[in-house]
């Protein structure tokens, strides 16, 4: 899932900070902004500094670890507080390369908060498997989506005018290219690629 797709899902709530593109201000000897909450949204400069500090804080943590802080939405007179949560991503060499941060009002329902966390999980999964997904042909992606919908090889063959043998060959190639072993793995790819909703295979 690309940054643009995330932003379309949650406009104004998600931001991806590419560490290599930030202005590298003089790093303090000790963190200045960690463990702080803000009476108003941090300025651009403060946010960039905070992102750097978050990246250093999370780099030795579990890959799914989050750093969270609170800030007030519209200045000191506002009573509405927001929660911001950040996750660190690393490149193929294991070096920190971006921080993904999303925020939500403390009054949002648990369902919305869960959905926001799921977006981050899907983004992580796609980043880790983007090279595998790129190996799939358009036909294989089509068949993956149909398999995820619960269609059999015979039903798929009839729907897209192929032989059953050809459909099964495509299915084997999908499993091989994605390095998956079972239908649960296939459903995960189908969900992240947008072929099914996140609730379709959890009910």
């Amino acid at each position: 899932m690309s940054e643009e797709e995330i932003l379309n899902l949650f406009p104004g709530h998600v931001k991806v900070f590419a560490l290599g593109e930030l202005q590298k201000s003089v790093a303090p000897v000790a963190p200045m902004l960690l463990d702080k909450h803000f009476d108003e949204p941090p300025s651009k400069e403060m946010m960039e500094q905070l992102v750097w500090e978050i990246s250093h804080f999370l780099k030795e943590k579990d890959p799914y670890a989050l750093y969270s802080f609170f800030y007030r939405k519209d200045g000191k007179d506002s009573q509405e507080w927001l929660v911001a949560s950040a996750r660190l991503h690393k490149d193929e060499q294991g070096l920190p390369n971006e921080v993904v941060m999303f925020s939500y009002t403390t009054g949002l329902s648990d369902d919305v908060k869960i959905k926001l966390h799921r977006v981050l999980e899907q983004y992580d999964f796609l980043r880790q498997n983007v090279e595998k997904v790129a190996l799939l042909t358009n036909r294989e992606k089509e068949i993956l989506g149909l398999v995820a919908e619960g269609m059999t090889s015979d039903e798929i063959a009839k729907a897209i005018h192929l032989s059953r043998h050809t459909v099964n060959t495509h299915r084997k190639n999908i499993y091989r290219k994605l390095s998956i072993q079972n239908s649960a793995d296939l459903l995960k790819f189908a969900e992240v690629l947008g072929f099914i909703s996140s609730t379709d295979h959890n009910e």
Side-chain angles (χ1 to χ4, degrees):
M1 181 173 293
S2 68
E3 177 183 356
E4 181 180 356
E5 289 171 318
I6 295 175
L7 293 175
N8 286 338
L9 283 173
F10 302 102
H13 287 283
V14 179
K15 177 66 176 176
V16 179
F17 296 89
L19 298 178
E21 297 176 3
L22 294 180
Q23 293 294 326
K24 295 186 178 181
S25 57
V26 178
V29 175
M32 298 173 57
L33 299 175
L34 293 184
D35 299 323
K36 291 188 176 182
H37 305 299
F38 304 90
D39 284 337
E40 57 188 18
S43 66
K44 179 178 181 294
E45 292 75 18
M46 291 176 65
M47 181 59 73
E48 290 187 355
Q49 182 63 47
L50 178 57
V51 167
W52 277 109
E53 294 182 16
I54 289 172
S55 69
H56 286 286
F57 174 78
L58 293 177
K59 68 180 181 180
E60 304 299 335
K61 305 287 186 182
D62 181 276
Y64 296 101
L66 293 175
Y67 176 86
S68 299
F69 61 93
F70 291 89
Y71 65 91
R72 208 187 297 264
K73 185 175 182 181
D74 296 315
K76 295 181 179 180
D77 294 332
S78 173
Q79 296 302 309
E80 184 175 19
W81 284 84
L82 290 87
V83 182
S85 294
R87 178 176 289 166
L88 178 67
H89 290 148
K90 299 180 179 180
D91 61 21
E92 295 179 354
Q93 287 72 44
L95 300 175
N97 68 339
E98 65 183 19
V99 170
V100 178
M101 188 178 297
F102 67 90
S103 61
Y104 49 87
T105 62
T106 54
L108 288 181
S109 68
D110 289 340
D111 287 343
V112 174
K113 295 175 186 177
I114 290 171
K115 189 176 182 181
L116 285 166
H117 280 281
R118 183 176 293 276
V119 168
L120 278 184
E121 291 173 357
Q122 291 178 340
Y123 185 63
D124 285 342
F125 183 85
L126 186 56
R127 279 175 50 82
Q128 295 165 5
N129 294 280
V130 63
E131 293 183 358
K132 295 177 183 178
V133 172
L135 296 175
L136 297 179
T137 64
N138 289 335
R139 178 65 85 182
E140 288 166 350
K141 290 178 182 178
E142 179 183 21
I143 291 175
L144 186 155
L146 295 175
V147 171
E149 291 177 7
M151 295 178 66
T152 66
S153 291
D154 287 333
E155 291 170 335
I156 293 172
K158 183 177 181 181
I160 61 177
H161 309 293
L162 293 176
S163 70
R164 185 176 187 276
H165 173 76
T166 300
V167 171
N168 284 334
T169 298
H170 282 306
R171 293 182 66 159
K172 290 177 182 178
N173 288 338
I174 291 169
Y175 273 67
R176 175 178 55 82
K177 290 180 179 180
L178 298 181
S179 301
I180 56 179
Q181 304 295 326
N182 52 55
S183 58
D185 293 335
L186 183 144
L187 289 175
K188 180 63 178 178
F189 276 96
E191 176 188 340
V192 173
L193 292 173
F195 295 125
I196 58 174
S197 74
S198 60
T199 57
D200 286 345
H201 59 91
N202 290 325
E203 296 177 345

